[in-house]
Amino acid sequence: MAKAKNFKNTETSPSPFNFLISVPTFTSLLFLPTKNTRKQNHSSSCTSSSTLLLLSLFFTIASLSLLLLLHSIPISENFNSLSPTSSPLELASFSTLLSSDNVDDHNDKPKLSTSVIMPLPIRGLSRNFSEKEREFWKQPEREDYVPCLEFGIEYRKASAKISKEKRRFLMVVVSGGLNQQKVQIVDAVVIARILEASLVVPVLQVNMIWGDDSEFSDIFDVEHFKKTLQADVRVVSSLPSTHRVSKQSVESEIPFNVSPGWIRAKFFKKINEGVLILKGLDSKLSKNLPPDLQKLRCKVAFHALKFVAPIQELGNRLAKRMWIEGPYIAIHLRLEKDVWIRTGCLTGLGPTYDKIIIHYRKSNPEFLTGRLNLTSNQRRLAGLCPLNALEIARFLKALGAPSSARIYYAGGGPFGGARALQPLKAEFSNLVTKEMLARDGELSPFLNKSSALAAIDYIVSLSSDVSIPSHGGNMAKLLQGHRAYVGHRKFIKPNKRAILPLFEDAMISEAELGTVIRKLHGRSQGQPELRTNKRDRDVLAYPVPECMCRGCRRIF
């Protein structure tokens, strides 16, 4: 922490020029995407170069005129308080201080929020790193893609009516862990839009595994959620008294891959008769939606679902404590007991631990989500099991991660405790958890609150220089998409089917293993990938092309 203190002491007060370039208009001009040597597709209706040149000239003249005034106007505390070590939330707030959301709080006209959770900025690398290590920390080419949520004219025309809907109401009960709930909330907003209904703030079902009874308002900023979506869907905290005794239809049997047409045909009449309550939404909505609804999914996930201040602030502080020590890796390790039970996999910790998992699995067969007729080893080689600590350690070494690298462990307590992490700790001694980073009492309000702890993990992982999941899942999907959305930060998905047989081949040297694994993952670094290249990719993981475009700077 001494570094942060010294850094802060060297700060000087911002000049008037710093104030000027802080204004969103100037920011949008100064941070236009860099020119890419590749041939680019400018299919989006971006501002022409000549228009930008005129705008630049206009604002340059305006800035010179304002300088005289700024010398006599005291700089706001908001600008003085920012430093190069500002947290992700501070940086995001700074960029939107003068946005439309902050100008007129008394204007009831629906408007779009431009706030988005941002990670900490990329730093320069120390000259002490070897070429292989520098390559490991190097960020992927973002190819000039930036957030671009420009809704179509028909969508915007319909919004005028839908955003004021007061007759039809949709209630949704979401289940699972935090990130599973987030995905269901995203789909709930989309379904409310399809049904032209007001959405009641979703109900979070008590988690049967972790016993977390958190409500929506304990995790997410309700007012921000409402405000961000007020041009798309009307969100209310509770049903009005006129609807509390009305006929209610509860639906829980929803097939997979349902389309907007199916939803309207199935539920529109029912929601007109009273209140529609939906359960069991998990991954039921089609991944191939019309472009405007895909944009809405991104808007909910990356803009509307903002964590409440206590969670966000602690997550920011922990991320900053990692960040000021240099680049760091965030690994989402899926080593919890319930994961081993649900996946049908063995822990790699020996017969004693495997017997415990097998006993729980037989006692609770409903927990087993993969019912394929495969042995545990067959499931592992098929890529259906989480990488354990030893496998992750070998994977990191093969990628060229320096042994001195700081690694943030995101995830619940591993089954097997310290023993489960020992192989990773032996190779990378700077393994850090939120419990180790937090100071006395900081985590106390969130003890036994798995959703809040998962949210803190999400924030620190979003701000990391490199993010690696040991297994698929909703957190991996959301982090992949969110990191792409804020600038294609490095995200490496292990190709488990390819690397596990290599790990078991004693004839391959460590040097050869590294060469092969780096080549295997050359196109899996978090660089832009079109969702439309493969069927049924989720826009929350692949926001290009629906939610991001090239060569322009447009959020909404």
Side-chain angles (χ1 to χ4, degrees), residues 172-185 188 202-210 212 214 252 278-284 451 474:
V172 175
V173 179
V174 299
S175 59
L178 171 73
N179 293 289
Q180 188 177 358
Q181 291 173 342
K182 285 175 69 175
V183 172
Q184 292 173 67
I185 293 167
V203 176
L204 308 189
Q205 184 174 314
V206 176
N207 192 291
M208 66 177 180
I209 295 176
W210 298 288
D212 189 345
S214 298
S252 58
L278 294 182
K279 297 181 178 181
L281 276 185
D282 195 19
S283 300
K284 300 300 178 64
S451 291
N474 289 302

Side-chain angles (χ1 to χ4, degrees), residues 282-452:
D282 195 19
S283 300
K284 300 300 178 64
L285 192 60
S286 171
K287 301 297 182 288
N288 297 299
L289 298 172
D292 284 328
L293 294 182
Q294 298 284 46
K295 293 182 192 334
L296 180 57
R297 295 189 83 222
C298 290
K299 185 177 178 182
V300 180
F302 307 138
H303 293 266
L305 285 174
K306 175 183 172 184
F307 299 121
V308 291
I311 292 175
Q312 189 73 54
E313 289 165 3
L314 179 55
N316 292 338
R317 287 199 297 274
L318 299 190
K320 189 186 296 183
R321 288 170 196 168
M322 291 294 296
W323 181 76
I324 61 176
E325 297 293 332
Y328 72 95
I329 309 164
I331 298 182
H332 185 210
L333 287 174
R334 307 299 309 278
L335 304 179
E336 301 94 332
K337 181 192 289 185
D338 72 286
V339 175
W340 296 118
I341 294 171
R342 287 188 289 105
T343 57
C345 301
L346 299 181
T347 64
L349 297 175
T352 301
Y353 291 91
D354 289 339
K355 285 179 182 178
I356 296 172
I357 296 299
I358 292 170
H359 171 74
Y360 272 98
R361 193 178 297 144
K362 289 181 177 178
S363 302
N364 302 277
E366 69 277 10
F367 287 171
L368 182 61
T369 53
R371 303 182 187 281
L372 298 177
N373 186 24
L374 299 173
T375 66
S376 296
N377 191 52
Q378 287 173 331
R379 294 180 66 77
R380 175 176 170 272
L381 293 177
L384 301 175
C385 298
L387 295 178
N388 60 35
L390 176 61
E391 292 161 346
I392 278 288
R394 296 194 68 185
F395 182 64
L396 286 171
K397 286 180 65 179
L399 289 173
S403 59
S404 60
R406 283 166 62 79
I407 298 178
Y408 180 82
Y409 171 99
F415 176 63
R419 176 172 176 172
L421 297 178
Q422 193 278 328
L424 180 59
K425 183 78 172 175
E427 296 289 347
F428 297 90
S429 58
N430 291 323
L431 182 64
V432 181
T433 65
K434 52 186 169 289
E435 290 80 10
M436 295 167 65
L437 279 178
R439 294 172 183 166
D440 290 345
E442 285 184 322
L443 282 176
S444 297
F446 311 114
L447 296 179
N448 302 317
K449 297 292 182 182
S450 61
S451 291

